[in-house]
PDB file of all heavy atoms in Angstrom:
ATOM      1  N   PRO A  53     114.199  80.488 104.950  1.00  0.00           N
ATOM      2  CA  PRO A  53     113.533  81.294 105.978  1.00  0.00           C
ATOM      3  C   PRO A  53     114.519  82.273 106.612  1.00  0.00           C
ATOM      4  O   PRO A  53     115.662  81.917 106.901  1.00  0.00           O
ATOM      5  CB  PRO A  53     113.078  80.253 107.009  1.00  0.00           C
ATOM      6  CG  PRO A  53     113.218  78.915 106.342  1.00  0.00           C
ATOM      7  CD  PRO A  53     114.302  79.070 105.323  1.00  0.00           C
ATOM      8  N   VAL A  54     114.079  83.522 106.790  1.00  0.00           N
ATOM      9  CA  VAL A  54     114.920  84.552 107.400  1.00  0.00           C
ATOM     10  C   VAL A  54     114.137  85.217 108.530  1.00  0.00           C
ATOM     11  O   VAL A  54     113.016  85.682 108.325  1.00  0.00           O
ATOM     12  CB  VAL A  54     115.324  85.639 106.365  1.00  0.00           C
ATOM     13  CG1 VAL A  54     116.222  86.683 107.030  1.00  0.00           C
ATOM     14  CG2 VAL A  54     116.018  85.016 105.154  1.00  0.00           C
ATOM     15  N   HIS A  55     114.736  85.244 109.706  1.00  0.00           N
ATOM     16  CA  HIS A  55     114.120  85.903 110.863  1.00  0.00           C
ATOM     17  C   HIS A  55     115.020  87.068 111.265  1.00  0.00           C
ATOM     18  O   HIS A  55     116.237  86.926 111.306  1.00  0.00           O
ATOM     19  CB  HIS A  55     114.010  84.887 112.015  1.00  0.00           C
ATOM     20  CG  HIS A  55     113.365  85.446 113.238  1.00  0.00           C
ATOM     21  ND1 HIS A  55     112.015  85.682 113.317  1.00  0.00           N
ATOM     22  CD2 HIS A  55     113.880  85.824 114.433  1.00  0.00           C
ATOM     23  CE1 HIS A  55     111.720  86.182 114.509  1.00  0.00           C
ATOM     24  NE2 HIS A  55     112.840  86.273 115.210  1.00  0.00           N
ATOM     25  N   THR A  56     114.422  88.234 111.541  1.00  0.00           N
ATOM     26  CA  THR A  56     115.247  89.384 111.921  1.00  0.00           C
ATOM     27  C   THR A  56     114.982  89.776 113.374  1.00  0.00           C
ATOM     28  O   THR A  56     113.864  89.626 113.873  1.00  0.00           O
ATOM     29  CB  THR A  56     114.977  90.603 111.016  1.00  0.00           C
ATOM     30  OG1 THR A  56     113.601  90.952 111.131  1.00  0.00           O
ATOM     31  CG2 THR A  56     115.333  90.319 109.575  1.00  0.00           C
ATOM     32  N   ILE A  57     116.003  90.268 114.035  1.00  0.00           N
ATOM     33  CA  ILE A  57     115.880  90.744 115.421  1.00  0.00           C
ATOM     34  C   ILE A  57     116.559  92.112 115.513  1.00  0.00           C
ATOM     35  O   ILE A  57     117.754  92.229 115.233  1.00  0.00           O
ATOM     36  CB  ILE A  57     116.567  89.772 116.402  1.00  0.00           C
ATOM     37  CG1 ILE A  57     115.919  88.385 116.321  1.00  0.00           C
ATOM     38  CG2 ILE A  57     116.499  90.308 117.825  1.00  0.00           C
ATOM     39  CD1 ILE A  57     116.649  87.325 117.126  1.00  0.00           C
ATOM     40  N   VAL A  58     115.785  93.108 115.899  1.00  0.00           N
ATOM     41  CA  VAL A  58     116.340  94.454 116.094  1.00  0.00           C
ATOM     42  C   VAL A  58     116.815  94.541 117.541  1.00  0.00           C
ATOM     43  O   VAL A  58     116.009  94.445 118.475  1.00  0.00           O
ATOM     44  CB  VAL A  58     115.278  95.531 115.783  1.00  0.00           C
ATOM     45  CG1 VAL A  58     115.841  96.925 116.057  1.00  0.00           C
ATOM     46  CG2 VAL A  58     114.820  95.412 114.336  1.00  0.00           C
ATOM     47  N   LEU A  59     118.114  94.645 117.698  1.00  0.00           N
ATOM     48  CA  LEU A  59     118.675  94.536 119.048  1.00  0.00           C
ATOM     49  C   LEU A  59     120.016  95.264 119.128  1.00  0.00           C
ATOM     50  O   LEU A  59     120.835  95.170 118.209  1.00  0.00           O
ATOM     51  CB  LEU A  59     118.889  93.039 119.358  1.00  0.00           C
ATOM     52  CG  LEU A  59     119.566  92.674 120.676  1.00  0.00           C
ATOM     53  CD1 LEU A  59     118.623  92.918 121.846  1.00  0.00           C
ATOM     54  CD2 LEU A  59     119.989  91.210 120.677  1.00  0.00           C
ATOM     55  N   ASP A  60     120.226  95.965 120.222  1.00  0.00           N
ATOM     56  CA  ASP A  60     121.554  96.479 120.543  1.00  0.00           C
ATOM     57  C   ASP A  60     122.268  95.359 121.307  1.00  0.00           C
ATOM     58  O   ASP A  60     121.845  94.989 122.406  1.00  0.00           O
ATOM     59  CB  ASP A  60     121.430  97.738 121.412  1.00  0.00           C
ATOM     60  CG  ASP A  60     122.783  98.373 121.697  1.00  0.00           C
ATOM     61  OD1 ASP A  60     123.806  97.650 121.698  1.00  0.00           O
ATOM     62  OD2 ASP A  60     122.821  99.584 121.933  1.00  0.00           O
ATOM     63  N   VAL A  61     123.324  94.831 120.728  1.00  0.00           N
ATOM     64  CA  VAL A  61     123.979  93.662 121.344  1.00  0.00           C
ATOM     65  C   VAL A  61     124.654  94.000 122.676  1.00  0.00           C
ATOM     66  O   VAL A  61     125.111  93.100 123.383  1.00  0.00           O
ATOM     67  CB  VAL A  61     124.994  92.975 120.395  1.00  0.00           C
ATOM     68  CG1 VAL A  61     124.302  92.361 119.196  1.00  0.00           C
ATOM     69  CG2 VAL A  61     126.106  93.929 119.988  1.00  0.00           C
ATOM     70  N   GLN A  62     124.684  95.299 123.010  1.00  0.00           N
ATOM     71  CA  GLN A  62     125.208  95.642 124.338  1.00  0.00           C
ATOM     72  C   GLN A  62     124.220  95.250 125.442  1.00  0.00           C
ATOM     73  O   GLN A  62     124.586  95.253 126.620  1.00  0.00           O
ATOM     74  CB  GLN A  62     125.500  97.141 124.418  1.00  0.00           C
ATOM     75  CG  GLN A  62     126.636  97.558 123.508  1.00  0.00           C
ATOM     76  CD  GLN A  62     126.921  99.044 123.621  1.00  0.00           C
ATOM     77  OE1 GLN A  62     127.681  99.493 124.466  1.00  0.00           O
ATOM     78  NE2 GLN A  62     126.282  99.824 122.766  1.00  0.00           N
ATOM     79  N   ASP A  63     122.984  94.921 125.070  1.00  0.00           N
ATOM     80  CA  ASP A  63     121.966  94.500 126.040  1.00  0.00           C
ATOM     81  C   ASP A  63     122.149  92.993 126.312  1.00  0.00           C
ATOM     82  O   ASP A  63     121.562  92.142 125.652  1.00  0.00           O
ATOM     83  CB  ASP A  63     120.572  94.805 125.479  1.00  0.00           C
ATOM     84  CG  ASP A  63     119.463  94.501 126.485  1.00  0.00           C
ATOM     85  OD1 ASP A  63     119.731  93.806 127.490  1.00  0.00           O
ATOM     86  OD2 ASP A  63     118.339  94.965 126.246  1.00  0.00           O
ATOM     87  N   LEU A  64     122.986  92.684 127.279  1.00  0.00           N
ATOM     88  CA  LEU A  64     123.368  91.283 127.523  1.00  0.00           C
ATOM     89  C   LEU A  64     122.194  90.453 128.042  1.00  0.00           C
ATOM     90  O   LEU A  64     122.112  89.246 127.769  1.00  0.00           O
ATOM     91  CB  LEU A  64     124.537  91.225 128.517  1.00  0.00           C
ATOM     92  CG  LEU A  64     125.790  92.018 128.128  1.00  0.00           C
ATOM     93  CD1 LEU A  64     126.902  91.773 129.142  1.00  0.00           C
ATOM     94  CD2 LEU A  64     126.272  91.681 126.723  1.00  0.00           C
ATOM     95  N   GLU A  65     121.289  91.100 128.771  1.00  0.00           N
ATOM     96  CA  GLU A  65     120.127  90.343 129.270  1.00  0.00           C
ATOM     97  C   GLU A  65     119.201  89.953 128.126  1.00  0.00           C
ATOM     98  O   GLU A  65     118.653  88.840 128.115  1.00  0.00           O
ATOM     99  CB  GLU A  65     119.381  91.161 130.330  1.00  0.00           C
ATOM    100  CG  GLU A  65     120.166  91.196 131.634  1.00  0.00           C
ATOM    101  CD  GLU A  65     119.606  92.174 132.643  1.00  0.00           C
ATOM    102  OE1 GLU A  65     118.468  92.657 132.470  1.00  0.00           O
ATOM    103  OE2 GLU A  65     120.340  92.470 133.605  1.00  0.00           O
ATOM    104  N   ALA A  66     119.053  90.847 127.173  1.00  0.00           N
ATOM    105  CA  ALA A  66     118.226  90.524 125.999  1.00  0.00           C
ATOM    106  C   ALA A  66     118.865  89.366 125.219  1.00  0.00           C
ATOM    107  O   ALA A  66     118.160  88.488 124.710  1.00  0.00           O
ATOM    108  CB  ALA A  66     118.064  91.744 125.108  1.00  0.00           C
ATOM    109  N   ILE A  67     120.185  89.358 125.144  1.00  0.00           N
ATOM    110  CA  ILE A  67     120.864  88.253 124.446  1.00  0.00           C
ATOM    111  C   ILE A  67     120.587  86.934 125.166  1.00  0.00           C
ATOM    112  O   ILE A  67     120.289  85.913 124.535  1.00  0.00           O
ATOM    113  CB  ILE A  67     122.382  88.521 124.340  1.00  0.00           C
ATOM    114  CG1 ILE A  67     122.627  89.646 123.321  1.00  0.00           C
ATOM    115  CG2 ILE A  67     123.136  87.249 123.935  1.00  0.00           C
ATOM    116  CD1 ILE A  67     124.076  90.038 123.158  1.00  0.00           C
ATOM    117  N   ALA A  68     120.639  86.952 126.493  1.00  0.00           N
ATOM    118  CA  ALA A  68     120.402  85.711 127.254  1.00  0.00           C
ATOM    119  C   ALA A  68     118.989  85.170 127.004  1.00  0.00           C
ATOM    120  O   ALA A  68     118.772  83.959 127.037  1.00  0.00           O
ATOM    121  CB  ALA A  68     120.618  85.978 128.744  1.00  0.00           C
ATOM    122  N   ARG A  69     118.059  86.071 126.717  1.00  0.00           N
ATOM    123  CA  ARG A  69     116.667  85.631 126.487  1.00  0.00           C
ATOM    124  C   ARG A  69     116.435  85.125 125.067  1.00  0.00           C
ATOM    125  O   ARG A  69     115.429  84.477 124.778  1.00  0.00           O
ATOM    126  CB  ARG A  69     115.696  86.796 126.751  1.00  0.00           C
ATOM    127  CG  ARG A  69     115.553  87.200 128.209  1.00  0.00           C
ATOM    128  CD  ARG A  69     114.333  88.111 128.399  1.00  0.00           C
ATOM    129  NE  ARG A  69     114.407  89.326 127.600  1.00  0.00           N
ATOM    130  CZ  ARG A  69     114.957  90.490 128.017  1.00  0.00           C
ATOM    131  NH1 ARG A  69     115.456  90.578 129.235  1.00  0.00           N
ATOM    132  NH2 ARG A  69     114.975  91.546 127.233  1.00  0.00           N
ATOM    133  N   LEU A  70     117.359  85.424 124.150  1.00  0.00           N
ATOM    134  CA  LEU A  70     117.123  85.142 122.724  1.00  0.00           C
ATOM    135  C   LEU A  70     116.759  83.687 122.408  1.00  0.00           C
ATOM    136  O   LEU A  70     115.787  83.448 121.684  1.00  0.00           O
ATOM    137  CB  LEU A  70     118.355  85.529 121.884  1.00  0.00           C
ATOM    138  CG  LEU A  70     118.516  86.980 121.458  1.00  0.00           C
ATOM    139  CD1 LEU A  70     119.743  87.110 120.568  1.00  0.00           C
ATOM    140  CD2 LEU A  70     117.281  87.452 120.725  1.00  0.00           C
ATOM    141  N   PRO A  71     117.517  82.708 122.922  1.00  0.00           N
ATOM    142  CA  PRO A  71     117.206  81.334 122.496  1.00  0.00           C
ATOM    143  C   PRO A  71     115.758  80.949 122.801  1.00  0.00           C
ATOM    144  O   PRO A  71     115.089  80.334 121.967  1.00  0.00           O
ATOM    145  CB  PRO A  71     118.192  80.475 123.295  1.00  0.00           C
ATOM    146  CG  PRO A  71     119.322  81.395 123.606  1.00  0.00           C
ATOM    147  CD  PRO A  71     118.703  82.760 123.785  1.00  0.00           C
ATOM    148  N   ALA A  72     115.259  81.368 123.964  1.00  0.00           N
ATOM    149  CA  ALA A  72     113.885  81.010 124.342  1.00  0.00           C
ATOM    150  C   ALA A  72     112.868  81.800 123.523  1.00  0.00           C
ATOM    151  O   ALA A  72     111.751  81.326 123.285  1.00  0.00           O
ATOM    152  CB  ALA A  72     113.673  81.267 125.831  1.00  0.00           C
TER     153      ALA A  72
END
Side-chain angles (χ1 to χ4, degrees):
V54 181
H55 181 74
T56 60
I57 300 173
V58 177
L59 175 72
D60 184 333
V61 294
Q62 293 181 87
D63 185 345
L64 304 185
E65 287 170 14
I67 288 178
R69 290 194 301 270
L70 277 184

